[in-house]
Each structure stands twice: as C-alpha cells, then as structure tokens.
Amino acid sequence: MPSIAQTTTGRIQGAIEGDLAVFRGVPYAAPPIKDLRFRAPQPHPGWDGVRDATELAPIAPQAGMDALDALLPSPPQPQSEDCLYLNLWTPALDAASRPVMLWIHGGAFTLGSGSEPLYSGANLARRGDVVVVTINYRLGALGFLHEPALGQANFGMRDMIVALRWVQDNIANFGGDPGNVTIFGESAGGAAVACLLVSPEAQGLFHRAIGMSTAGDHGILFDGTQPTTDQFYAQLGLDQQSAEQLRSLPLDDLIAAQAAVEAAAFEDLNEMWSVRLPFGPTIDGSLLTEPPLATAAAASADRGTPFLSGNPDEEMKLIRAMMPPEVLSRDDVMLRLAAIPGGADRVYAAYRNARADRGEPAAPDDIFDAVASDFLEIMPSLRFADAWARGGAPTFSYMLDWKSPMNDGALGSCHALDIPFSFGTYRDAPDFAGTGPEADALADAMLDIWTTFARTGNPAIEGLDWPPYNADSRPQMMLGPNLRVETAWRATERAVWDGVF
C-alpha cells in the first residue's frame, strides 16, 4: 500500500517496504541548473498533485570512483546537475517524534552519493526506531569552485544546510522530531560535519553530531582561495572568467577539466603531506569564518552539541590497496616521508619502536601505512575531538579495530570499514566487512550505539560503560571483536605530532 506524505512543496508518495515507509528522490531545493549553477541553493518551486518518490534520483556529476566503490562495485547511477535530492526511511508516518539522523556521504568532495547501497537507512530506522535521511549535494567544481567573480562559494556545503532546513520544515510529517536531529558523515562527510559544527549558518539546525574519520581541518582551504582554480581554467582553455561564462559551459567540459585536476593532485604520494583536496570547503567569511579546529572549542562552549568521533585504526590501507602492488624498503619510506612535518628520521624511529614494543609488525610498509593513517586521518580527528571536549560539550571517541578479510586481510581496519557496521549493511559487503557471529555482534552494537547517541547524546548502551572523552586521559571505545575502553591510545605515536597540528 503506498504511503503519501505532505511536504512544504507538495505531496509525495513513497512505498511500504516491510515495516518501514521509504521515500526516494525527494527534492529539497530547486535544480541548480542554468542560471542557478554556481549559486547558493534556492527553494524548490513545488508541484501539483502527488509526486512519485519510489525511485532514486540522479546523483551529482562526477568522474571516476572512490576507493570503496572500486572494491565494492555497484550499478552506476544516473548523473545530472539536477541532483539535490534526499532519501528517507521511517518506521511510520505518525506523531511519534523520533530522533532524526541525516547522513553526509564521503568521497573527497568530488565523488559519491547518498544513494549508495551501503548507506541504506533501513537497518538504522528499524533497529533504533529513528528516521534516517541521506542526501546528495553538489561535488567538485560545481560544489566547491572558489571564484570571486561568482560572489558566492561553498555551494555543496550550503546544499547540506538547505537539506537540514528541509528536515526542520518537514520531518514531523514523517514521524521525526525536528528538535532532535543528528548529522553524521564519514571522510569528506566527516569533514563536513566538523564544518557544520562551527558554521554560523548551520547553528540551530541540528542537535548532535557523529564524525567518522572527521579529519578536522584537512582539505579545508584556509586562505579563501582555491589553489586549483587556475589549473581548472587552464584545462578549460579559459584566459578570463566571468560568472556568465562559467554558467554557460557544457557540463561535460567542466567534469573533464575537474577530473584532470584531480588526477594531477593525487598522482604522487609525496603530495599527500600537503593535505589539500583539489576541491572542498573554503574559508569564505560567512559559512566558515575560520578553520574548524581554530573555532571548535568556542563553538562547543556556545552550542553544547554532543559529539561522537572516531576512526578505523589502519585508515591508509584502503588507499594503498587501490595502488599498484609494491613492497617498500626503508629508503623508499624515508623518501616518501621527506616532506612530512616533524622530520622523517624522528617519525620513522618513533613508529618503528612503538610498534615493536607492542609486538606489532614494524616492516617499512607497516610503518608507512601507520604514519600516513595518523597524519591524514586519525590525529586530525583526535585534535578536533580534543578541542570540542575542551569547550565543554559532551564528547565521546571510538577506534575501530575490526579487521577486513578482503585481500587476505591486507586491508586491516581500513578507511570506511565503520560504514557497513554502523548502517547494518555489512551483509551486503561480506568480503569487505566479514561475516559470522562476531560480525553480527559488532553490527548490532554499532547500530545501537549510533541510534542511542542520536536519541540521548550519549553512546553508552546496556552493559557498555563509555566515559566521556577528554584531552588528558583520552578514553576511547575500541569497537571490534572485544569492546573495551582504552586510555592514551598509541600515546607514543600521538606525541610525534605535538606542535605539528
């Protein structure tokens, strides 16, 4: 039997799937096309009658695939500039005022969508009695080109804010509570969470936040300029730019130029230490007034938003799996660490000794993976959690130490491995996530943790004591085969970065 719900722009018809009502391809803003390209999102004009919301809508234009897609291929999705849509799962269209969880996907701000199979909200909605929303937002140049002639910036971030406003205006009609909204995201989505936590424009639109591989300031453009804009224009063959010209260029030309800029940015592993994504949020004086880390403590004190943050503990292994196979020597690693802040010799020795002391593999490959994981993802996430905790808002931290069985275990506890467990979609990716009673138990625990945090602002579930995070003892929940709290996790490696971030 179809489900019909009222929104501010018109009625929509979803579908009943088991014990859930599901709505797909729901527009939350006007199509950002033609004169609305490279502009902040505008209100949708609405429609007459009942709009079908049973099929996925097009995703943001993009070229290539991210590392996770390469390992877990799924059917390609139609792409279009008309991409500002959301998907929604709810236990019932009633007045129950359930917690709401809005997912922001990752993909380096150039790839991905809210429609990926791993992001199905069905298991979260069903087990936690919550309403789940996943969104598309503009990516790459269309979402994050910084060009003063446009008069605006951060279009993709502003898409997220308009989606949150849609939730405020509409979610009560879907059984959700607009006064209890949790944002959660991974990788670029985690960085977006950090930006929204401190953004003046997002204040009051959500009440809790979960950052998975948050990476704080990494990839944020601090100086208000886009370092790759000139490269982008060179690929397009443009000497001078105007807003009108940029809005009239063929979409295929824009995406091809974007892809070339991305390829150049990531062709050399030595470039990783610059931590600059080719496209991403920028300090524009409005949506972002300072780098997120610089304002985190003050925003925490002002807003008091409960925050749950964490990482898989071997992040880099997913990226390495996408590269040609190689066995690194110590000289190879030292060459790649030559440009790293903190000094290659000091960093290498600290990691080698710490890993050997713990009885962990300490070959050059292992050391490189660990250093890159910490520098790019884990330590920036912890720095942001440190700052948020200092501000006084409830802060909690986790580390995933579950190992992927894929590639004979070579992925370890890699980037994105927390996604299938927190969504309960791990059975759809058994080669990546693993199977069996221990996997079932981990997924059940993480579903309960995520939804309990969304409901209460505290991730502790029955039988699991979870102390708040602080920058001194740093208690973290280890999520894996053995749920437990550790303090001062990898203190030796963390000390390497004191004064660097």
Side-chain angles (χ1 to χ4, degrees), residues 90-248:
T90 181
L93 302 177
D94 57 19
S97 292
R98 296 172 180 85
V100 180
M101 302 181 70
L102 184 139
W103 171 252
I104 303 169
H105 71 81
F109 295 110
T110 58
L111 297 164
S113 77
S115 306
E116 297 288 340
L118 282 185
Y119 307 155
S120 167
N123 297 302
L124 279 165
R126 183 175 292 117
R127 186 173 179 95
D129 193 32
V130 299
V131 179
V132 180
V133 178
T134 67
I135 64 170
N136 297 338
Y137 56 91
R138 280 174 285 181
L139 302 171
L142 290 167
F144 297 96
L145 181 69
H146 182 82
E147 169 51 66
L150 295 172
Q152 296 175 313
N154 285 320
F155 310 109
M157 290 298 306
R158 290 193 158 88
D159 295 340
M160 301 172 199
I161 290 174
V162 168
L164 284 165
R165 291 198 181 109
W166 185 96
V167 167
Q168 288 297 307
D169 294 341
N170 293 283
I171 208 66
N173 292 337
F174 295 86
D177 180 4
N180 186 3
V181 177
T182 297
I183 58 172
F184 67 131
E186 185 268 348
S187 195
V193 165
C195 292
L196 293 170
L197 276 166
V198 304
S199 172
E201 296 186 13
Q203 188 165 3
L205 295 178
F206 61 93
H207 313 91
R208 321 194 196 288
I210 303 173
M212 302 161 64
S213 300
T214 306
D217 290 0
H218 277 32
I220 308 303
L221 306 174
F222 300 124
D223 55 4
T225 63
Q226 169 54 275
T228 54
T229 298
D230 290 342
Q231 299 171 35
F232 181 67
Y233 290 149
Q235 292 292 334
L236 290 168
L238 300 178
D239 295 323
Q240 294 182 332
Q241 304 79 42
S242 69
E244 293 76 15
Q245 184 179 30
L246 288 168
R247 293 189 178 107
S248 65

Side-chain angles (χ1 to χ4, degrees), residues 310-357:
N311 303 73
D313 69 359
E314 296 175 299
E315 294 259 13
M316 185 63 182
K317 287 190 173 183
L318 180 69
I319 311 304
R320 288 288 303 282
M322 298 298 98
M323 298 174 180
E326 58 181 349
V327 176
L328 299 177
S329 67
R330 185 184 185 282
D331 288 344
D332 294 330
V333 174
M334 293 300 292
L335 181 63
R336 292 185 180 180
L337 299 186
I340 195 171
D345 288 324
R346 183 176 71 92
V347 171
Y348 189 97
Y351 274 73
R352 180 195 59 212
N353 295 339
R355 294 180 67 85
D357 288 345

